[in-house]
Amino acid sequence: MPEKKEKFYLTTPIYYTNGLPHIGHTYTTVVADVIRRYKRMRGYDVVMTTGTDEHGVNVERAAKKAGVPESEFVAKMADAWRALWDELGIPADEFVRTTDLTHVRTVQWLFKLCRENGYVYKGHYTGQYCIYDNAFVNDAKPGDNCPDCGRPLETITEENYFFKLSSFQKPLLDFYKKNPGFIQPDTRRNEIISFVEGGLKDLSITRTTIRWGIPVPGEEPHVFYVWFDALTAYLSAVGGPEYEKRGYWPADLHLVGKDIIRFHTVYWPAFLMAAMLPVPKQVWAHGWFLMDAAKMSKSKGNVVLPRPIVNMLGMDALRYFLLRDVVFGQDGNFSYDALVTRYNSDLANGLGNLASRTAALIEKNFAGKIPKPAALKPQDEALAKEAQAAIGEVLENFDKLSFARALETIWTLIAAADKYLTSEQPWALGNSEADQFRKATVLWTTAELLRIVAALAFPVLPDSAAKVWSLLGQSDALGKFELDGLRWGQLVPGTSLGKSQTLFPRVDKTEAIERIESMANEELNPPKAVPAPAASAPAATGASAAAAAAPAVSDKIGIEDFAKVEMRVGQIKTAERIVGADKLLKLTVDIGTEIRQICAGIAQYYEPESLIGRKVAVVVNLAPRKLRGVESNGMIVAASVGPEGRPVLTGFHEEVEVGARLK
Ligand SMILES: [Zn+2]
């Protein structure tokens, strides 16, 4: 019987649905995904939860503005958030919505437990209230104006249920003392401890002035207010009242932004203690990404969106940048310049180049099979030692959530391998037996280092690390590889290399930034929809605009659509007919970074021999497909002429470099 896996439960915040995710939300969710992948590679049974916080007066208003019922509004929002996480390859294992029935039951159950244990009482809340917006304005003083509509606020007293937070000062302080790792990083722990030492006031946890919320059973019109509702979602996601059946509670890790750490480390453990439920093991507060030293926000118009970056550079590039450039826990500056610089230096010239160089040398010298190393020289042994040591170091840093450190160690290894290749010069060695042995040793060593790099980098670069992994002929899924078993020396000589593929094509910085910015601009300011026909959905506004399902009707595409198509100059190397397919030619085409096999439906009009050496336009980022059983990895662009659609290949009237991008 295999040993039962240890469980690990982690969460992102349950994001408030008054807008769509920007890079800040993406950052937290990416970090959660990295931890999830890492923990799985360490043998844990992991569940990661994210979700949407869908109640409250802001949602009520946004729905009203959009002219739809709240339930419809939040359903669209939740779909949009979920879809984005799926698109970015960071889907939740549990996506919880605070309008889910299980969640509603869990909140009501938690309240009942707190009440039965004597920590809930009915009282009165007095605050400043806007009668036009139907909302209390937190922190306003009598005589202030409403920050939303500018009209004078009124002092209103309403009946509320209160939670006896004041009873938890000592229990919380004792808990922090006993569990010094509970609040991370340490600076945050000190802040929270002094906040709690300063005394805790009881907390109003229901409202009668809000309609869109979870009802307090038997106490209508009371509905639960903000934190009692939202925080409980972590528990509802893994079973709520039946949490013991699934066995994931208490959570091992709540990842939060530093602005909401107090709610997670004071209110949340207090609610759970009051209900006599287990308290989470750790809350980690990370910093913010700042744009020009200011916090990103939609109202400031300095929001960075994930999608344009991913379209231009790929998700792995964004993941790498987010984790490499900022010490987890601190604030970081976000700039496209730094992003693209990192991309070119660390990914294109670093990992990508090392992988393609190594594969090409093995291809050329050893017919694509991993060579068998011979007698080792001190420099080979030194590199082996460095790689072996890096394994322990990287795992230790991942355990501490020191992602930047972990990546630094991996990239130091890549640089060492580059240097090693450059000084050993396997390409300059001849064909004598001694030279062959030396070549084999150097290339095996480099390939083995790459294998270790791929395994260690996988949590951060799942897509490209898996490509390197299969390039090295490793057939098992890298995500299921157990890092505890990773050792230097496991690369088996004789293994055939997998297909080579471009990992990170180098980009021109100015051009890349321009494209990202223009795509971001399109996404933030979508072109105005043409006047809607009477039967269409009500016009969406504000927060709901981006979530509205119906796209603008237009024949034109935005630049971001065109930018998705990557066309390059390719040179045809070989061409042959395909037996049984009289229209198709099988071509191999040099696209600068690699040689591709592409099928083209031009056999009736072009003699294969006439095509050799010809430069053509190639769509290089088309998903590979099979035509008449032959794999085609890309598409040759041709004009379609006349009624029968005769293909005419594109050409260039001036000298063009193979691999040049068409735009
Ligand atoms: Zn107002």
Side-chain angles (χ1 to χ4, degrees):
M1 276 291 283
E3 207 181 315
K4 210 170 159 211
K5 280 185 174 181
E6 202 177 323
K7 291 186 158 84
F8 190 90
Y9 177 38
L10 82 160
T11 67
T12 75
I14 306 305
Y15 302 112
Y16 196 60
T17 47
N18 61 342
L20 282 176
H22 58 58
I23 213 82
H25 311 107
T26 309
Y27 178 49
T28 319
T29 312
V30 162
V31 168
D33 179 65
V34 169
I35 297 170
R36 162 171 61 180
R37 289 177 193 271
Y38 171 69
K39 285 286 178 187
R40 283 191 180 145
M41 290 177 91
R42 296 301 299 275
Y44 286 84
D45 164 12
V46 188
V47 163
M48 172 192 137
T49 286
T50 188
T52 41
D53 175 6
E54 304 181 357
H55 287 126
V57 77
N58 288 327
V59 166
E60 215 174 294
R61 274 187 221 163
K64 200 172 169 195
K65 226 171 160 183
V68 295
E70 288 93 351
S71 56
E72 198 177 300
F73 177 83
V74 294
K76 271 188 181 165
M77 274 295 182
D79 283 349
W81 280 72
R82 203 196 309 242
L84 183 68
W85 300 143
D86 288 352
E87 182 188 328
L88 298 180
I90 45 181
D93 301 306
E94 294 293 342
F95 189 96
V96 63
R97 299 180 52 191
T98 59
T99 52
D100 287 341
L101 201 61
T102 309
H103 176 70
V104 170
R105 276 181 53 227
T106 306
V107 171
Q108 293 172 340
W109 168 73
L110 184 70
F111 177 78
K112 187 171 154 266
L113 292 177
C114 291
R115 196 180 194 180
E116 281 168 2
N117 294 338
Y119 293 107
V120 165
Y121 62 92
K122 203 181 258 187
H124 289 92
Y125 173 83
T126 301
Q128 302 307 308
Y129 189 82
C130 175
I131 56 165
Y132 303 97
D133 294 326
N134 293 319
F136 280 101
V137 177
N138 295 328
D139 307 323
K141 296 183 302 298
D144 283 359
N145 287 332
C146 171
D148 283 326
C149 67
R151 286 178 274 208
L153 295 169
E154 289 180 23
T155 302
I156 282 191
T157 297
E158 71 162 354
E159 189 187 75
N160 280 178
Y161 277 99
F162 280 81
F163 176 78
K164 277 193 194 170
L165 189 60
S166 57
S167 304
F168 289 90
Q169 184 182 26
K170 179 139 193 321
L172 282 170
L173 289 171
D174 289 347
F175 175 74
Y176 302 150
K177 206 173 200 178
K178 247 196 237 153
N179 301 278
F182 176 63
I183 307 170
Q184 287 294 316
D186 288 346
T187 46
R188 301 283 163 218
R189 179 173 67 231
N190 300 336
E191 271 171 38
I192 295 298
I193 289 176
S194 53
F195 170 76
V196 175
E197 281 171 346
L200 296 172
K201 274 191 225 149
D202 289 350
L203 191 69
S204 147
I205 53 168
T206 69
R207 286 284 188 273
T208 53
T209 44
I210 297 173
R211 206 175 39 79
W212 182 240
I214 297 175
V216 182
E219 304 288 348
E220 289 83 358
H222 282 275
V223 299
F224 290 101
Y225 182 62
V226 189
W227 292 109
F228 201 86
D229 174 351
L231 291 164
T232 307
Y234 300 132
L235 182 53
S236 348
V238 287
E242 287 85 41
Y243 72 92
E244 278 171 318
K245 261 190 233 156
R246 291 195 53 194
Y248 289 98
W249 194 261
D252 292 277
L253 178 62
H254 290 316
L255 292 170
V256 301
K258 63 179 181 181
D259 50 336
I260 52 174
I261 183 138
R262 188 181 294 176
F263 311 115
H264 284 80
T265 57
V266 180
Y267 296 4
W268 184 222
F271 296 160
L272 292 165
M273 285 173 182
M276 308 225 280
L277 293 169
V279 173
K281 294 179 193 158
Q282 189 169 63
V283 179
W284 241 100
H286 63 74
W288 285 326
F289 270 98
L290 309 173
M291 275 299 261
D292 308 318
K295 193 190 173 194
M296 240 175 253
S297 80
K298 203 172 176 186
S299 56
K300 286 195 196 111
N302 62 351
V303 175
V304 175
L305 301 174
R307 211 182 251 123
I309 296 170
V310 172
N311 285 345
M312 184 67 218
L313 303 174
M315 185 59 185
D316 276 10
L318 177 59
R319 295 170 67 104
Y320 180 77
F321 178 76
L322 292 177
L323 292 176
R324 175 69 183 82
D325 242 47
V326 172
V327 174
F328 188 64
Q330 295 176 7
D331 284 344
N333 229 326
F334 192 96
S335 88
Y336 289 131
D337 195 288
L339 167 75
V340 180
T341 302
R342 275 271 178 225
Y343 173 86
N344 276 333
S345 69
D346 295 12
L347 299 178
N349 294 347
L351 177 57
N353 183 45
L354 180 66
S356 62
R357 223 170 143 197
T358 306
L361 284 165
I362 293 175
E363 200 62 61
K364 189 170 164 223
N365 292 286
F366 297 97
K369 285 200 162 57
I370 303 283
K372 189 174 172 8
L376 298 181
K377 289 191 177 179
Q379 59 268 38
D380 312 328
E381 280 168 343
L383 199 62
K385 213 171 145 198
E386 191 178 340
Q388 183 62 46
I391 297 172
E393 229 174 279
V394 169
L395 300 195
E396 197 187 314
N397 280 312
F398 270 130
D399 281 336
K400 292 193 289 193
L401 310 194
S402 300
F403 306 111
R405 274 278 180 75
L407 292 172
E408 204 183 317
T409 305
I410 300 173
W411 259 257
T412 305
L413 213 51
I414 292 173
D418 264 333
K419 208 172 140 200
Y420 170 80
L421 266 188
T422 307
S423 76
E424 296 306 313
Q425 303 198 6
W427 50 87
L429 292 167
N431 289 320
S432 70
E433 201 184 21
D435 274 7
Q436 282 294 351
F437 277 139
R438 187 63 202 142
K439 236 186 266 181
T441 306
V442 170
L443 291 178
W444 179 86
T445 302
T446 319
E448 171 60 347
L449 181 137
L450 260 177
R451 187 187 67 93
I452 287 181
V453 161
L456 294 175
F458 177 80
V460 180
L461 302 175
D463 188 37
S464 19
K467 282 184 184 163
V468 174
W469 191 252
S470 65
L471 174 65
L472 295 170
Q474 309 300 301
S475 50
D476 304 346
L478 181 50
K480 296 206 170 109
F481 182 83
E482 295 240 353
L483 282 175
D484 291 305
L486 184 64
R487 302 272 182 284
W488 179 269
Q490 292 164 325
L491 182 60
V492 181
T495 308
S496 294
L497 292 188
K499 248 207 203 111
S500 80
Q501 27 192 340
T502 313
L503 288 177
F504 304 103
R506 238 191 107 79
V507 298
D508 176 80
K509 196 203 275 182
T510 319
E511 183 195 317
I513 295 174
E514 267 174 28
R515 277 167 186 262
I516 293 170
E517 283 180 337
S518 104
M519 287 188 269
N521 193 35
E522 295 262 349
E523 198 174 323
L524 286 169
N525 307 296
K528 291 271 180 295
V530 293
S536 86
T541 53
S544 67
V553 182
S554 169
D555 291 331
K556 299 219 162 58
I557 61 165
I559 183 83
E560 79 282 4
D561 286 319
F562 180 71
K564 286 178 192 159
V565 181
E566 187 182 343
M567 273 194 281
R568 294 194 180 270
V569 175
Q571 187 167 35
I572 298 174
K573 293 291 183 193
T574 65
E576 56 178 289
R577 296 188 185 277
I578 297 172
V579 181
D582 53 2
K583 288 184 183 163
L584 283 182
L585 284 186
K586 185 167 89 177
L587 311 171
T588 52
V589 184
D590 182 356
I591 58 163
T593 44
E594 62 184 300
I595 310 275
R596 291 275 187 88
Q597 174 173 302
I598 301 176
C599 296
I602 55 175
Q604 290 167 310
Y605 302 93
Y606 288 92
E607 285 304 318
E609 307 76 53
S610 71
L611 294 170
I612 313 293
R614 180 158 179 170
K615 285 178 180 167
V616 289
V618 183
V619 178
V620 299
N621 62 340
L622 198 67
R625 59 210 167 118
K626 281 206 167 154
L627 299 172
R628 295 294 184 101
V630 181
E631 184 167 289
S632 182
N633 191 4
M635 189 179 90
I636 308 285
V637 177
S640 177
V641 178
E644 82 278 36
R646 175 170 67 91
V648 177
L649 291 174
T650 55
F652 301 94
H653 298 293
E654 280 159 87
E655 203 37 55
V656 286
E657 203 181 312
V658 170
R661 183 155 185 184
L662 275 73
K663 45 184 191 169

